Amino acid sequence: MAAATASLAITPSRAAAAKVFADLRTGELLDSALDRHADDLDARDKRWVRELLYGTLRQRGWLDALLESRVRGGLSRLDDDIIDLLRLGMYQLLFMRSVPPYAAIAQTVELAKRRHGIGASKLVNAVLRRLDRESAGILDTSPESLGARDPVDALSIRYSHPRWLVARWVGRWGAEATQTLLERNNTEAPLTVRPFGIVREQLEATLDAAGIETEEVGLVPDSLILRGAGSITEVGSFRQGLFFVQDPAATLVTQYAAIPPGALAADLCAAPGGKALELSRTAGHVIASDRSFSRMSLVTSNIERLDVKNVSVMIADARRPAIDSVDAVLIDVPCTGTGTFRRHPDARWRLRISDLAVMAALQRAILSAASQVVRPGGLLIYSTCSLEPEENDGQIENFLSSNPEWSLEPPPTGAVPATVLDAGRLRVLPHIHGVDGAFAARLRRKQ
C-alpha cells in the first residue's frame, strides 16, 4: 500500500505548473508567477516546468481545438482549472518526448482528483487516454476539420493566436508573412547578451573558456547569442558585470536614438534598465526613472552589478516627469507588446482589442509630458515593442500634427542597418528580421 501511495505523489514541477496557471487566470504575469512557484525547485526541474508552461501557452489554441471534440459537451462546460490541467497533460503527451505517456496521464489525473475530486479525475483520465490512443498523426490534423471557417480562422487555430489579432496582421501583411510571424512567435527566443566594459571578442573568449557556446548577431554585430549557458546568474562573467541580457531589437532602439556624446539623457520608462545602460555608453549622464518601485530594483541591481557610474535612478511616473530641460529623452512606453509574444506567450491570451485604445491614451499622455522636459534643440525618442499602428505611426503623426515645434529626424547614417529603417523611423519586425518587434521615432525640438 505504501508503494501505491508513493506512486501517486505529484511531482513538485507539475504542482508548480498548476499553481502558475491558476495565477495566470487572476491576471498575474507568467514570469512573476513562475519565479514564485518554481523558486524552491532545483535547476533541472525549473527548466522542465518552464518548458511545460511556455510550450503549453504557445500551443494553447491548438490544444483547445484538438480537445474540443474529445470532451463531451465541449470545453465550455468545464471548470477553467480543469481545462488548464487538460492542456498541461496534453502538452506533455504530444510535445514532451522525454515524458512517458503513463506519467503524463497519471500525474494529471491525480492533480485533477486533489483539486476537484474523483469525478473530475475520471473525466481527465478518459480524455487523456483517448488522446494517447489517437496521438499518432494528431498534430497533422487540419484546422478545417476542427471547424476553421476561413484562412484567418485556420491560422488562428493552427498557430494559437487570437483570431482578431491574426485578422489584423493578415490585412496588413498578407497570409504568408503572417504565418511566418505566428511560427516565430511560437519558438523559443535565444539568449542574447551585450558586452559591457569589454569588447565582444573578449567576452566571447571568456564565455568559451567557461564552456558556453556563442553566436554572432547579424543586426547587432557586437551582441552575442549564448547556447548552453544554463542559469545565467551562475555564469562567472555575468557576476563580474561583463555583460547584460538584451534582445537585438531593444539594442537597435538605443542605437537608432544616437544620443550625442556627453549629453544629459533621461529614460523615463526605464525598467528593467537595459536601454538606460546602452545610453550610458555615450551619454554624459543618464537619469533612469520608472513608476514601479519593484521593477526599478532590477535597474538598480544591474547598475550595481555592472558598476555603472553615470546612471542615477528615481521613482517617477512618466506622465509627470521629475526632471526639467535635458538634452535627450527616451520613452519606451508601456504597450500591448505584440512584438514580444515569443518571450511572453501568456500575453497573447490576456490581450483584448480594447487594450489598444487604453494603451494609446496612456502613450499620448507620456509623449506629451516627455516633450515638455526636452530642451530647445534636444531629442525625444519614442519607442514601443508593439507591432500595432495605433501605438506606433499613429502616435507620431498625431503628435507632429499638434506640435509644429517638433520634427522627425532620421538617425545619422550607419547608426542602424538600413534594413530596419522605414521613412526615418525604426521598424523591426519578427517575421522579417528574426528578433523581437520594435518601433521608434527620433524627434527633434526646434531651437
Side-chain angles (χ1 to χ4, degrees):
M1 181 63 70
T5 302
S7 68
L8 294 176
I10 297 171
T11 64
S13 298
R14 290 182 175 89
K19 292 175 183 176
V20 169
F21 264 34
D23 286 348
L24 294 185
R25 295 195 301 274
T26 70
E28 186 168 357
L29 302 182
L30 174 59
D31 289 345
S32 62
L34 177 57
D35 285 345
R36 186 172 68 259
H37 291 300
D39 189 53
D40 294 333
L41 302 178
D42 62 32
R44 181 180 177 182
D45 285 344
K46 282 182 182 178
R47 289 193 296 271
W48 189 91
V49 74
R50 188 181 191 279
E51 178 188 353
L52 173 59
L53 290 167
Y54 276 69
T56 301
L57 287 165
R58 288 188 178 111
Q59 300 295 336
R60 195 185 97 169
W62 182 232
L63 296 175
D64 285 1
L66 293 170
L67 278 169
E68 182 68 27
S69 62
R70 293 169 171 85
V71 173
R72 185 177 300 173
L75 292 178
S76 61
R77 77 177 186 87
L78 299 183
D79 181 271
D80 288 341
D81 190 64
I82 294 175
I83 296 173
D84 278 341
L85 295 179
L86 284 170
R87 290 165 176 157
L88 291 167
M90 187 176 180
Y91 187 82
Q92 293 171 65
L93 279 174
L94 300 183
F95 291 93
M96 298 181 74
R97 298 305 178 191
S98 63
V99 179
Y102 72 84
I105 295 170
Q107 286 281 306
T108 309
V109 168
E110 185 64 20
L111 272 168
K113 181 180 177 181
R114 295 192 187 187
R115 295 170 75 90
H116 299 281
I118 190 68
S121 71
K122 288 181 177 179
L123 181 147
V124 169
N125 183 62
V127 173
L128 292 184
R129 287 191 180 280
R130 178 180 175 183
L131 284 166
D132 186 35
R133 291 194 303 271
E134 300 172 357
S135 62
I138 194 173
L139 295 180
D140 297 323
T141 305
S142 71
E144 290 75 14
S145 69
L146 297 172
R149 303 180 301 274
D150 53 43
V152 169
D153 224 20
L155 287 171
S156 171
I157 291 171
R158 184 61 189 87
Y159 296 103
S160 294
H161 282 68
R163 189 187 194 283
W164 68 269
L165 196 52
V166 174
R168 284 173 61 92
W169 292 345
V170 169
R172 195 181 316 154
W173 296 307
E176 185 176 349
T178 298
Q179 180 175 331
T180 301
L181 172 58
L182 302 178
E183 289 173 342
R184 291 188 175 171
N185 284 349
N186 287 342
T187 60
E188 184 78 18
L191 179 64
T192 307
V193 302
R194 300 281 295 147
F196 201 85
I198 59 174
V199 297
R200 188 206 73 201
E201 290 79 7
Q202 290 173 309
L203 178 59
E204 197 171 8
T206 300
L207 293 169
D208 182 65
I212 298 172
E213 296 180 8
T214 60
E215 296 176 19
E216 294 184 14
V217 180
L219 285 172
V220 187
D222 53 342
S223 290
L224 286 171
I225 293 173
L226 272 54
R227 304 290 187 191
S231 174
I232 193 70
T233 57
E234 299 303 316
V235 176
S237 49
F238 177 85
R239 297 197 302 269
Q240 295 165 23
L242 301 182
F243 68 84
F244 61 93
V245 177
Q246 187 173 66
D247 185 83
T251 306
L252 286 167
V253 168
T254 55
Q255 293 179 344
Y256 167 86
I259 299 297
L264 173 60
D267 181 354
L268 299 184
C269 306
K275 292 185 179 69
L277 292 173
E278 281 295 318
L279 295 179
S280 76
R281 296 181 190 271
T282 56
H285 193 84
V286 178
I287 303 166
S289 69
D290 199 283
R291 67 178 181 175
S292 169
F293 182 85
S294 60
R295 282 171 55 78
M296 279 305 292
S297 66
L298 300 173
V299 181
T300 303
S301 64
N302 263 327
I303 290 171
E304 293 174 349
R305 182 175 60 82
L306 275 67
D307 193 27
V308 183
K309 304 298 186 184
N310 64 333
V311 177
S312 55
V313 300
M314 66 171 65
I315 307 298
D317 192 317
R319 293 169 292 185
R320 294 177 289 277
I323 57 172
D324 187 32
S325 194
V326 296
D327 300 317
V329 170
L330 169 65
I331 46 171
D332 184 39
V333 296
C335 67
T336 58
T338 52
T340 59
F341 277 177
R342 63 175 183 165
R343 295 185 185 279
H344 307 292
D346 55 320
R348 70 183 75 169
W349 306 116
R350 281 198 316 274
L351 191 62
R352 299 291 179 266
I353 194 167
S354 58
D355 293 335
L356 288 169
V358 173
M359 283 297 178
L362 174 60
Q363 292 154 3
R364 283 193 298 273
I366 293 174
L367 182 52
S368 176
S371 69
Q372 304 303 311
V373 299
V374 178
R375 67 164 177 79
L379 284 169
L380 173 61
I381 299 90
Y382 173 94
S383 75
T384 78
C385 57
S386 171
L387 306 178
E388 310 316 308
E390 298 94 325
E391 301 181 274
N392 297 335
D393 299 276
Q395 292 285 11
I396 298 307
E397 288 159 8
N398 290 336
F399 177 79
L400 292 176
S401 67
S402 303
N403 296 273
E405 72 276 20
W406 289 87
S407 61
L408 179 72
E409 181 180 283
T413 302
V416 294
T419 55
V420 297
L421 286 175
D422 180 11
R425 306 169 196 199
L426 180 80
R427 198 180 312 279
V428 187
L429 301 172
H431 57 287
I432 294 176
H433 303 106
V435 298
D436 287 354
F439 171 88
R442 191 172 184 266
L443 308 174
R444 176 75 70 178
R445 187 174 188 178
K446 292 180 182 177
Q447 289 281 3

